[in-house]
Amino acid sequence: MNYSFELHESLYGEARESWVWLPKRVGENIQSGDIIKICHNDNSIILEARIVDKYFERRFKNKSINFDNAIFLNENYRVKLGLSTEGIDKEIKFQIQKTINPYNIYFKYFIQHPRAEVRLTCYLASFSICIGLISIISTLKFFFHWLLQHICNC
């Protein structure tokens, strides 16, 4: 779905987290905790959705923000969307969709994560899966070769 939001930077404590705060009006289609895809121009990101609540609004008590039309993204995701810090507090159009195939999307979610240790873990897990598959294939090859030798000898 296409939305137009006022872009704001995330809180300092959330600068390395992998979520976006969305206004309540998006909550009709997307719930807190859903993995979503956000597109802007030709760029896209995959991250966790969080819906703005009263607790979150109180954290911005000194600023005049229209929480019904605000989206809060950290710098990492703003850069990946092609938005600079100059785009802060400006109305920007986004396309937001809930992900349908979670398995492929989760891999992209972890690869795009702002924390280096999460990205590294994802790469190492992928490498381990590849090594495991190679091991299984070579074991099966050896087993079938052995089985054919014993069948032919009988």
Side-chain angles (χ1 to χ4, degrees), residues 4 11 15 17 26 37 66 74 76 80 93 113 119 128:
S4 183
L11 294 169
E17 300 300 336
V26 179
K37 181 177 184 178
N66 178 10
N74 65 32
N76 179 58
K80 287 184 180 187
K93 293 183 180 184
H113 200 283
R119 291 191 306 270
S128 297

Side-chain angles (χ1 to χ4, degrees), residues 90-107:
K90 292 183 181 175
E91 193 86 14
I92 298 176
K93 293 183 180 184
F94 296 97
Q95 182 182 18
I96 300 177
Q97 61 190 33
K98 189 174 178 179
T99 57
I100 297 171
N101 180 2
Y103 302 109
N104 183 31
I105 296 300
Y106 279 124
F107 181 75

Side-chain angles (χ1 to χ4, degrees), residues 27 33 48 60 67 72 90-91 104 117 121 136 144:
E48 182 181 345
F60 283 93
F67 289 99
F72 298 85
K90 292 183 181 175
E91 193 86 14
N104 183 31
E117 58 269 17
T121 302
I136 289 171
F144 284 120

Side-chain angles (χ1 to χ4, degrees), residues 50-62:
R50 292 206 165 175
I51 306 300
V52 171
D53 56 8
K54 294 291 181 193
Y55 173 74
F56 185 78
E57 289 178 12
R58 284 194 305 245
R59 296 165 84 184
F60 283 93
K61 61 184 174 189
N62 297 335

Side-chain angles (χ1 to χ4, degrees), residues 15-80:
R16 305 279 294 157
E17 300 300 336
S18 62
W19 58 68
V20 57
W21 287 93
L22 299 170
K24 293 174 188 167
R25 67 182 167 116
V26 179
E28 303 163 354
N29 304 319
I30 298 169
Q31 303 297 317
S32 274
D34 286 345
I35 302 298
I36 61 170
K37 181 177 184 178
I38 298 179
C39 301
H40 175 71
N41 295 336
D42 292 333
N43 303 319
S44 67
I45 55 174
I46 296 168
L47 64 168
E48 182 181 345
R50 292 206 165 175
I51 306 300
V52 171
D53 56 8
K54 294 291 181 193
Y55 173 74
F56 185 78
E57 289 178 12
R58 284 194 305 245
R59 296 165 84 184
F60 283 93
K61 61 184 174 189
N62 297 335
K63 295 185 178 181
S64 59
I65 297 173
N66 178 10
F67 289 99
D68 294 329
N69 193 40
I71 183 173
F72 298 85
L73 273 173
N74 65 32
E75 182 181 12
N76 179 58
Y77 289 123
R78 289 193 312 267
V79 168
K80 287 184 180 187

